[in-house]
Amino acid sequence: MRRAKTGSLIAEVVRRGRSVLGPAIGLFILSYFAYHVVHGDRGLLAWHVLDQKATEARAELAEVRARREVLEHRVRLLHRETLDPDLLDESVRRALGYGRPDEIIIKTSQRQP
């Protein structure tokens, strides 16, 4: 009699185990993909970091373009047709380190052109 109960108990565990096994595997697979959607190399967190880097790069690009425009304007002023004598004089003095004897030079913090 004891053997019959043990056999039916094992059969019941196996039967219930089969009915739970499919949903458990499905839940595991769903959890795996959900985790990688958020934390994976191409997940939501990686997308957010990439978006921040793109925003920083756009800001840096705007800054570099602004500096380039200033430099291009200064170069245009040095062309023969549109030569600005004051800018030429300033550039020569800065490059050679010269000044006139009657000038008073006041040094300030160095700035970028």
Side-chain angles (χ1 to χ4, degrees):
M1 179 149 186
R2 191 165 189 201
R3 201 168 219 196
K5 284 185 179 180
T6 305
S8 65
L9 180 63
I10 292 175
E12 183 68 23
V13 169
V14 168
R15 186 178 61 81
R16 288 188 184 195
R18 285 184 184 155
S19 65
V20 172
L21 188 62
I25 291 173
L27 183 62
F28 174 75
I29 291 172
L30 182 67
S31 300
Y32 175 82
F33 285 113
Y35 174 81
H36 286 284
V37 162
V38 175
H39 296 286
D41 292 341
R42 293 177 181 87
L44 295 174
L45 296 179
W47 175 76
H48 182 67
V49 169
L50 188 61
D51 189 43
Q52 286 179 337
K53 286 181 181 180
T55 302
E56 291 171 4
R58 283 187 204 103
E60 185 179 348
L61 177 63
E63 182 182 322
V64 169
R65 281 183 177 164
R67 278 191 278 153
R68 179 180 175 174
E69 287 177 8
V70 168
L71 290 173
E72 284 178 350
H73 176 70
R74 291 177 63 91
V75 167
R76 266 188 257 117
L77 291 176
L78 291 174
H79 282 270
R80 253 184 225 163
E81 299 83 28
T82 60
L83 186 61
D84 183 11
D86 292 333
L87 184 61
L88 179 62
D89 185 47
E90 176 189 341
S91 298
V92 169
R93 287 174 191 231
R94 184 177 292 145
L96 300 176
Y98 289 142
R100 292 187 194 139
D102 61 336
E103 288 182 329
I104 298 174
I105 299 174
I106 301 172
K107 291 189 174 190
T108 59
S109 62
Q110 197 173 26
R111 61 185 178 128
Q112 293 182 352

